[in-house]
């Protein structure tokens, strides 16, 4: 059948297939097409939701595939197809916990949706309605809609089982490849600041690869640091991660500059950026995350570099869309290199 697809270089095919899967945008009933050095991934969502940097939207003939069993949780709901239209395509799996956001029209049917997810996702113990992250500690408000037990769980990411509590400290499984990408860039012997570290997924990925000499992991939320300490009890990584409860305002003054600095505080990070940038040595790299309106992504890197000119000379070494954030904005990773 003819359908919309995303044309991507074969070398990035698996990475972008994962991105689409996590965003609920990969169509499961059509087979991926191969054309010379490209793949065409069948799309199930509105093409505007696919970040432009992931590939080109095309129309092609796709082969239909008949998967065994339900391919989507909605297949487990005995509702008329028209009523399923407003069901979200995506949800997050954090260890044994599944989190989903629902539009207000589905509030009265949340228990049924929770039961469907409990049956659909293997290994799920608890399903929560995700009411978003709030407050300075970015804690998630969650409401149990199916299953039992605590919100605390262990989530496997980049070879480590992280201690996570989806209610007490921020964690998103959508950042796993970003954590790995940054870890891969770290060279042996480098010192790293993981600022706003949450439960420490960047720190664990970096130290787990045995490259960094030392990672200082800082967060204002004591629960996040307690969870990171609990992970470190099981994965001591040679004592190379030092967790610290501190606000950036306390930590940043008088800290020695290091080779890599990660700051993942996408909505407020901009106010700390100059003082964070001062903690990078010349030749050092700063990984800065921001939610950016899609129309401004192309200009944003240079705007950041100009804003940092009183601190030093920076260049945009790389930038990438991590995932779509809203219909008109993306979470973007900026890698800024200090030149002087
Ligand atoms: C988006 S989460 C990032 C979590 C983590 N880096 C990750 O990749 O999962 C932002 C974190 O910043 C912390 N935070 C917010 N304001 C802070 C501040 N002023 N100083 C230190 N940490 C702060 C919050 O407690 C939260 O854990």
């Amino acid at each position: 059948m003819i359908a919309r697809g995303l044309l991507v270089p074969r070398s990035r095919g698996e990475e972008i297939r994962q991105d689409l899967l996590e965003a609920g945008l990969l169509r499961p009933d059509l087979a991926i097409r191969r054309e010379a050095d490209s793949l065409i991934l069948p799309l199930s969502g509105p093409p505007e939701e696919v970040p432009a940097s992931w590939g080109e939207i095309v129309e092609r003939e796709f082969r239909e595939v008949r998967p065994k069993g339900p391919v989507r949780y909605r297949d487990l709901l005995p509702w008329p197809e028209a009523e399923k239209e407003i069901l979200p395509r995506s949800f997050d799996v954090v260890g044994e916990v599944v989190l989903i956001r629902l539009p207000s029209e589905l509030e009265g049917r949340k228990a049924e949706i929770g039961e469907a997810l409990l049956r659909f996702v293997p290994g799920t113990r608890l399903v929560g309605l995700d009411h978003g992250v709030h407050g300075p500690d970015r804690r998630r408000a969650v409401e149990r809609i199916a299953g039992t037990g605590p919100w605390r769980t262990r989530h496997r990411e980049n070879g480590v089982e992280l201690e996570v509590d989806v209610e007490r400290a921020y964690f998103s499984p959508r950042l796993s490849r970003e954590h790995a990408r940054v870890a891969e860039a770290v060279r042996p012997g480098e010192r790293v600041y993981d600022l706003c570290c949450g439960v420490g997924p960047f720190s664990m990925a970096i130290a787990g690869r045995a490259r960094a000499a030392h990672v200082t992991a800082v967060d204002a939320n004591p629960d996040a640091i307690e969870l990171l300490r609990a992970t470190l009890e099981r994965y001591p990584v040679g004592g190379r991660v030092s967790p610290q409860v501190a606000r950036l305002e306390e930590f940043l003054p008088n800290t020695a500059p290091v080779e890599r600095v990660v700051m993942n505080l996408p909505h407020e990070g901009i106010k700390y950026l100059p003082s964070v940038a001062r903690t990078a040595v010349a030749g050092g790299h700063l990984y800065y995350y921001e939610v950016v309106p899609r129309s401004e992504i192309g200009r944003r890197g240079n705007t950041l570099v100009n804003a940092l000119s009183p601190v030093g000379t920076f260049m945009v070494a790389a930038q990438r869309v991590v995932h779509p954030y809203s219909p008109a904005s993306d979470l973007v990773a900026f890698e800024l290199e200090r030149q002087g």
Side-chain angles (χ1 to χ4, degrees):
M1 70 180 293
I2 305 277
R4 284 208 189 91
L6 188 69
L7 178 78
V8 302
R10 205 178 267 242
S11 56
R12 294 190 63 209
E14 180 47 27
E15 176 194 344
I16 295 170
R17 189 189 72 81
Q18 276 293 339
D19 286 329
L20 290 173
L21 199 61
E22 283 166 20
L25 291 168
L26 186 69
R27 195 165 158 172
D29 58 335
L30 299 179
I32 294 169
R33 266 184 77 105
R34 284 170 183 76
E35 288 183 9
D37 287 339
S38 302
L39 294 181
I40 302 167
L41 308 168
L43 289 177
S44 70
E48 316 80 77
E49 285 186 21
V50 181
S53 59
W54 288 7
E56 183 193 343
I57 307 282
V58 294
E59 284 206 343
R60 288 290 194 283
E61 176 77 35
F62 287 96
R63 184 169 55 80
E64 292 181 53
V65 284
R66 288 209 186 287
K68 292 189 198 97
V71 289
R72 299 165 297 185
Y73 73 93
R74 58 189 272 169
D75 299 334
L76 295 172
L77 289 164
W79 307 354
E81 280 306 309
E83 288 178 25
K84 296 184 184 177
E85 286 308 308
I86 56 169
L87 279 167
R89 286 185 302 272
S90 65
F91 51 83
D92 285 335
V93 181
V94 182
E96 301 164 307
V97 177
V98 167
L99 296 175
I100 188 162
R101 285 175 166 248
L102 293 179
S104 52
E105 304 92 291
L106 290 173
E107 174 70 25
R109 310 181 92 173
K110 59 191 177 192
E112 282 176 86
I113 296 167
E115 288 302 327
L117 285 165
L118 199 58
R119 283 171 55 204
F120 181 71
V121 184
T124 302
R125 165 175 60 73
L126 180 60
V127 182
L129 197 53
D130 179 356
H131 293 290
V133 292
H134 305 277
D137 290 348
R138 314 305 291 150
R139 292 178 201 246
R140 201 172 290 281
V142 281
E143 174 190 345
R144 191 190 73 83
I145 56 172
T148 53
W151 295 110
R152 183 156 174 170
T153 185
R154 287 182 182 168
H155 179 82
R156 178 161 279 280
E157 175 182 295
N158 298 315
V160 174
E161 278 205 326
L162 299 164
E163 296 284 342
V164 178
D165 185 318
V166 298
E167 198 177 33
R168 286 168 56 212
Y170 180 92
F171 180 74
S172 168
R174 297 181 188 209
L175 296 174
S176 70
R177 266 160 323 101
E178 190 54 31
H179 299 142
R181 276 182 193 131
V182 171
E184 276 157 21
V186 175
R187 300 201 194 97
E190 289 184 338
R191 297 159 299 172
V192 182
Y193 289 152
D194 178 5
L195 306 178
C196 302
C197 65
V199 303
F202 276 114
S203 296
M204 293 309 299
I206 291 168
R209 285 168 189 270
R211 288 169 179 237
H214 193 258
V215 185
T216 307
V218 180
D219 201 285
N221 179 357
D223 290 340
I225 296 298
E226 186 208 305
L227 289 157
L228 171 54
R229 289 202 170 108
T231 301
L232 286 166
E233 276 174 23
R234 288 183 293 104
Y235 299 88
V237 290
R240 282 175 290 110
V241 174
S242 299
Q244 194 171 324
V245 181
R247 293 188 58 74
L248 291 182
E249 294 84 337
E250 301 163 275
F251 176 79
L252 290 172
N254 313 315
T255 37
V258 295
E259 289 76 25
R260 309 257 168 189
V261 184
V262 182
M263 181 180 51
N264 179 12
L265 185 59
H267 295 280
E268 287 169 74
I270 190 69
K271 71 181 183 205
Y272 299 106
L273 188 61
S275 35
V276 168
R278 281 195 187 91
T279 69
V281 295
H285 291 245
L286 167 59
Y287 301 86
Y288 167 73
Y289 296 84
E290 194 174 270
V291 173
V292 187
R294 225 162 263 160
S295 56
E296 289 172 25
I297 291 176
R299 296 190 295 277
R300 188 62 186 154
N302 283 338
T303 308
L304 295 173
V305 163
N306 291 339
L308 289 178
S309 58
V311 176
T313 309
F314 286 81
M315 63 167 271
V316 182
Q319 81 176 54
R320 56 190 164 254
V321 170
V322 179
H323 60 64
Y325 182 79
S326 74
S329 65
D330 293 323
L331 176 66
V332 183
F334 296 95
E335 182 179 341
L336 305 174
E337 184 178 338
R338 183 166 192 172
Q339 300 188 303

